[in-house]
Amino acid sequence: MKVFAHRGASGHEPENTLLAIQAALDMRVDAIEIDIHMIEGELVVIHDRRLEKTTNGYGRISDKAFAEIRLLDAGKGQKIPTLWEVLQLVSAQCELNIELKSERTVGPVIQLLKRAISELDFLQSQFLLSSFNHHLLNEIRTQHTGWKIGALTASRPINYAYFAQMLGAYSVHIDVDFVDQAFIDDAHKRGLKVFVYTVDHEEDIADLHQMKVDGIFTNFPTRSMVRIAHLASAVIK
């Protein structure tokens, strides 16, 4: 079961900061998940569309200038990083799941990832582009072939993982509150990986391991990896 460090190792360091990314790298995670918005042509790494949850700023990101948000404290003196700064730090050490949070991000993201492949030794297969905005995923599918996409859902649709299959997705990402065996089985029959968010509790990890989920997003990567390793060794015995 693959472990994604959710917004970096966000249970230990301020989420979506370079500190959290470095902590996740030090933990040797399989992958890191981050969130991006577009500000004045710059791709910035932050989850919420408002600033007050994770910074000392206030208001909507979309109403701010790039230079203004770069002055904010995102925790422990960290700046809101750019996507390129994260790519430089990760430097192909693990896979990277980039969740698109705002419009008009597809083209700039693809362009930057191509640069990362050229300059930072990433493989295209190390990138997974996900979103709740399935229009953005469809744009990737139809205009930028060859990139892995992950279709996010915070529900259990009537047709299970059909929507992800229709998007040509590599994976479907579902809330831990809604995942069940029927959904997982349906997704696997459609050739999709199933990744579940956000999973921090041992009993949930055990249940998902038994249901043969392909990966989890977690705020506490080391703790989750230890639990998964224990479950795997118990199966072998």
Side-chain angles (χ1 to χ4, degrees):
M1 194 156 62
K2 183 176 291 188
V3 172
F4 291 78
H6 184 238
R7 307 177 194 173
S10 57
H12 302 273
E13 302 292 352
E15 68 175 53
N16 278 320
T17 64
L18 296 183
L19 269 182
I21 302 300
Q22 185 61 60
L25 292 172
D26 292 343
M27 294 172 185
R28 299 185 181 277
V29 297
D30 300 306
I32 296 172
E33 184 267 351
I34 58 173
D35 309 276
I36 60 165
H37 288 263
M38 174 77 84
I39 307 296
E40 292 187 334
E42 293 284 349
L43 294 164
V44 296
V45 181
I46 185 171
H47 180 270
D48 288 24
R49 66 187 185 91
R50 296 188 65 88
L51 293 164
E52 51 264 30
K53 180 182 175 183
T54 57
T55 78
N56 62 343
Y58 181 83
R60 299 184 301 182
I61 297 172
S62 58
D63 294 333
K64 308 297 181 182
F66 174 70
E68 184 179 1
I69 69 163
R70 289 284 276 182
L71 295 175
L72 300 176
D73 186 342
K76 295 187 177 180
Q78 291 284 292
K79 294 189 294 187
I80 296 172
T82 64
L83 176 56
W84 183 247
E85 287 171 338
V86 170
L87 290 167
Q88 287 179 304
L89 180 57
V90 174
S91 195
Q93 295 177 71
C94 69
E95 297 178 24
L96 193 62
N97 177 189
I98 301 168
E99 183 180 336
L100 309 182
K101 303 295 288 189
S102 59
E103 300 286 352
R104 299 180 297 280
T105 48
V106 170
V109 167
I110 297 295
Q111 184 177 4
L112 204 60
L113 297 188
K114 287 180 178 179
R115 180 185 171 192
I117 292 168
S118 174
E119 298 181 18
L120 302 175
D121 296 324
F122 277 100
L123 301 174
Q124 185 170 338
S125 60
Q126 289 182 286
F127 296 116
L128 175 60
L129 304 177
S130 64
S131 187
F132 283 102
N133 186 337
H134 297 170
H135 294 275
L136 298 180
L137 299 182
N138 191 55
E139 182 182 343
I140 297 170
R141 180 181 68 86
T142 57
Q143 299 182 29
H144 304 278
T145 58
W147 296 90
K148 293 191 298 186
I149 59 177
L152 278 153
T153 180
S155 68
R156 190 187 310 152
I158 291 293
N159 292 327
Y160 292 101
Y162 173 79
F163 72 96
Q165 182 184 25
M166 290 301 96
L167 284 165
Y170 166 80
S171 55
V172 58
H173 306 184
I174 183 170
D175 192 318
V176 67
D177 290 336
F178 298 103
V179 69
D180 66 357
Q181 192 67 65
F183 184 92
I184 294 165
D185 291 345
D186 180 81
H188 284 163
K189 287 177 183 177
R190 298 179 190 278
L192 296 159
K193 300 291 186 183
V194 180
F195 301 138
V196 180
Y197 66 92
T198 303
V199 185
D200 289 331
H201 300 289
E202 289 192 1
E203 59 267 41
D204 289 330
I205 294 172
D207 288 346
L208 295 172
H209 185 271
Q210 185 174 4
M211 288 191 282
K212 300 189 182 307
V213 160
D214 299 290
I216 60 171
F217 297 88
T218 178
N219 297 316
F220 299 94
T222 298
R223 190 170 74 192
S224 296
M225 287 188 291
V226 168
R227 180 58 172 158
I228 291 168
H230 174 75
L231 291 166
S233 65
V235 170
I236 293 172
K237 290 177 182 179

